[in-house]
Amino acid sequence: MIQINSTLRPSDLAAKLNRFWQLSGEKIYLIENKYDVSKGSPVFTRQGKYTARGWTEWTQGFLYGSMILQYDATGEKTFLEMGRRKTVEVMAPHISHMGVHDHGFNNVSTYGNLLRLMKEGKIAFNEWEEDFYSLALKISGAIQASRWTIIKSGGFIYSFNGPHSLFVDTLRSCRSLILSHCLGHTLHSEGDQPISLLERAVEHMKATANYSIFYGEGRDVYDVWGRTAHESIFNVNDGNFRCPNTQQGYSGFTTWTRGLAWAMCGFAEEIEWLDSVKEAGTNGLNIKKDVLPFMIKAARAVCDFYIDNCPVDGVPYWDTGAPDLYKMGDYLNKPADPFNDFEPVDSSAAPIAAQGLLRLGRHLQQNGEKEQGDRYWQAGLTVLNIIFDEPYLSTGQTHQGLLLHSVYHRPNGWDYIPSGSKIPHGESSMWGDYHAREVALYIQRVINNETYHTFFNIS
């Protein structure tokens, strides 16, 4: 269980953030100067050098989005120009990509961040540039929403595994539907039939809350408050739920911690948008009565599970049911050990989870639940205080990664295991580095009393 530091304040992280952004800029330059883009998008490091891994190009937006976040945090225009140029030159295929569930990763991290910066006044206004980013986001949201499976209780955006497959990760791609909706767009089907992107986003969120998250209500014998299934399988012939499953975790009945983190962050940031939207923009949905309650329940559950099933420092092992964890003794009551002989940590889950904890905590604080809100907020700060320092912060001058001890796909054996070690450690991932930057920007803006950072600051 996380040993929550209740005295930690955002300003206590200021010195670590300064060092973080300095190292972050150095890593971006290393990749830009050393990585061979002809090999595909960089995904994770091997002996400190970024490598590609063919599956889908789901990390490309994180690479260029990191440049944009670096500019946002430091004001260094070189990074803005790099990120803007690469977005224009490279990212267009991602806008119309019909084969993935990753639009909220690739396109919101690039086009979304650029439009947000323009709307916030952090880059100069240009009407054609604004229209360009807006059009990209409109199309991206509609394309993502078209990847749709109907079930008895609604529907969901299906994963690249096929129409039967609901991934918990996809919750974060609801951002693309929300932004497209906010920009006034709709999806049209046969006969010019309009489809509300907001309604599809809400239905997907509800399906995730109903099937990917457990609440200790007896769904199966492993039903524990906040346990998360990476994948939920449906019979597409009759729309019935069949079973939990996983692709990157240990089993459908254990919790892959990065999937848990995606749920924490995804629910919390969508709660913030739902809480901010005016009723006129909700297509007749009763947000406060019919949507926010199940969203907040799900967010509380997954955040509680993370707190309860992490080591004391808040950095999780890759799966809460990993088969050799028992060999480590009372591992939840001591700091995570990335150099152990049995099971790897996955540091990339930590910044994603921390953002979810902070956002949910702030929402509850502002809505009359100070004690619970403070608990989540302080847990988020506790995690950041650990990962913005060694042994997780990458300080080596030749290592291209920023956040060390990330794991990609443990079951497939894709992660590099150093000589003399029994488990992978010491490597970074593009998603881990991006989300470390994203949550660093979030808390830096809080410290500096700047505009509160959300994905929907586009109007």
Side-chain angles (χ1 to χ4, degrees), residues 1-154:
M1 178 184 290
I2 298 178
Q3 192 173 74
I4 299 173
N5 184 340
S6 60
T7 65
L8 198 61
R9 296 294 175 260
S11 58
D12 296 334
L13 302 175
K16 291 185 177 183
L17 285 171
N18 290 336
R19 185 184 186 213
F20 174 91
W21 288 117
Q22 178 183 348
L23 290 167
S24 171
E26 293 171 2
K27 307 301 184 182
I28 291 172
Y29 279 128
L30 271 177
I31 298 169
E32 181 69 6
N33 294 329
K34 300 292 185 181
Y35 183 75
D36 182 359
V37 294
S38 68
K39 295 179 178 178
S41 300
V43 179
F44 58 95
T45 63
R46 183 180 179 89
Q47 295 181 285
K49 312 298 182 187
Y50 260 105
T51 60
R53 180 80 206 198
W55 194 345
T56 66
E57 296 290 317
W58 71 286
T59 61
Q60 195 159 38
F62 295 149
L63 173 62
Y64 305 133
S66 287
M67 299 170 181
I68 299 165
L69 294 182
Q70 184 75 19
Y71 164 75
D72 194 347
T74 67
E76 297 175 79
K77 291 187 177 180
T78 301
F79 294 106
L80 172 63
E81 293 310 314
M82 290 166 59
R84 182 158 50 188
R85 184 181 73 253
K86 294 292 188 179
T87 297
V88 173
E89 292 176 354
V90 177
M91 294 301 296
H94 294 287
I95 301 170
S96 56
H97 196 335
M98 299 179 66
V100 296
H101 56 270
D102 299 321
H103 283 246
F105 293 150
N106 273 316
N107 298 322
V108 177
S109 300
T110 47
Y111 300 101
N113 274 327
L114 288 166
L115 181 60
R116 175 182 58 79
L117 286 173
M118 185 171 288
K119 293 295 189 176
E120 291 176 346
K122 299 196 76 170
I123 60 177
F125 174 77
N126 178 286
E127 185 176 359
W128 278 104
E129 190 177 351
E130 178 191 30
D131 289 345
F132 174 72
Y133 300 147
S134 296
L135 181 59
L137 292 166
K138 287 177 180 179
I139 297 170
S140 175
I143 292 291
Q144 187 69 105
S146 69
R147 197 174 172 82
W148 193 250
T149 292
I150 297 173
I151 58 177
K152 287 192 172 179
S153 56

Side-chain angles (χ1 to χ4, degrees), residues 206-357:
K206 188 171 184 179
T208 303
N210 286 344
Y211 298 105
S212 302
I213 314 302
F214 290 76
Y215 301 99
E217 296 170 351
R219 278 179 58 192
D220 60 34
V221 297
Y222 304 103
D223 189 344
V224 176
W225 173 259
R227 184 175 80 75
T228 306
H230 178 200
E231 184 177 34
S232 299
I233 303 296
F234 291 82
N235 182 329
V236 296
N237 292 323
D238 62 13
N240 279 313
F241 171 74
R242 298 307 305 149
C243 62
N245 192 37
T246 190
Q247 297 297 313
Q248 291 174 254
Y250 179 63
S251 83
F253 299 98
T254 64
T255 294
W256 175 51
T257 51
R258 192 162 78 248
L260 173 68
W262 291 131
M264 295 165 67
C265 186
F267 280 122
E269 67 180 354
E270 297 295 353
I271 286 168
E272 288 182 321
W273 180 79
L274 289 163
D275 196 44
S276 72
V277 70
K278 300 293 187 291
E279 287 298 322
T282 61
N283 290 31
L285 289 171
N286 190 326
I287 297 296
K288 296 193 183 301
K289 179 182 177 183
D290 298 329
V291 183
L292 276 173
F294 79 75
M295 294 286 288
I296 294 171
K297 178 183 178 181
R300 289 181 192 268
V302 292
C303 286
D304 288 344
F305 188 89
Y306 187 88
I307 291 171
D308 290 345
N309 290 274
C310 263
V312 296
D313 56 3
V315 180
Y317 290 92
W318 71 280
D319 192 292
T320 61
D324 284 339
L325 282 175
Y326 79 95
K327 295 179 180 178
M328 299 175 63
D330 193 12
Y331 63 92
L332 291 181
N333 285 316
K334 53 188 176 184
D337 178 10
F339 307 104
N340 74 84
D341 288 334
F342 305 107
E343 295 288 356
V345 303
D346 184 3
S347 67
S348 72
I352 304 166
Q355 189 175 162
L357 289 163

Side-chain angles (χ1 to χ4, degrees), residues 17 21 73-74 439-450:
L17 285 171
W21 288 117
T74 67
V439 75
L441 176 65
Y442 173 93
I443 204 64
Q444 177 173 298
R445 286 193 171 199
V446 170
I447 294 169
N448 295 338
N449 199 28
E450 297 178 83

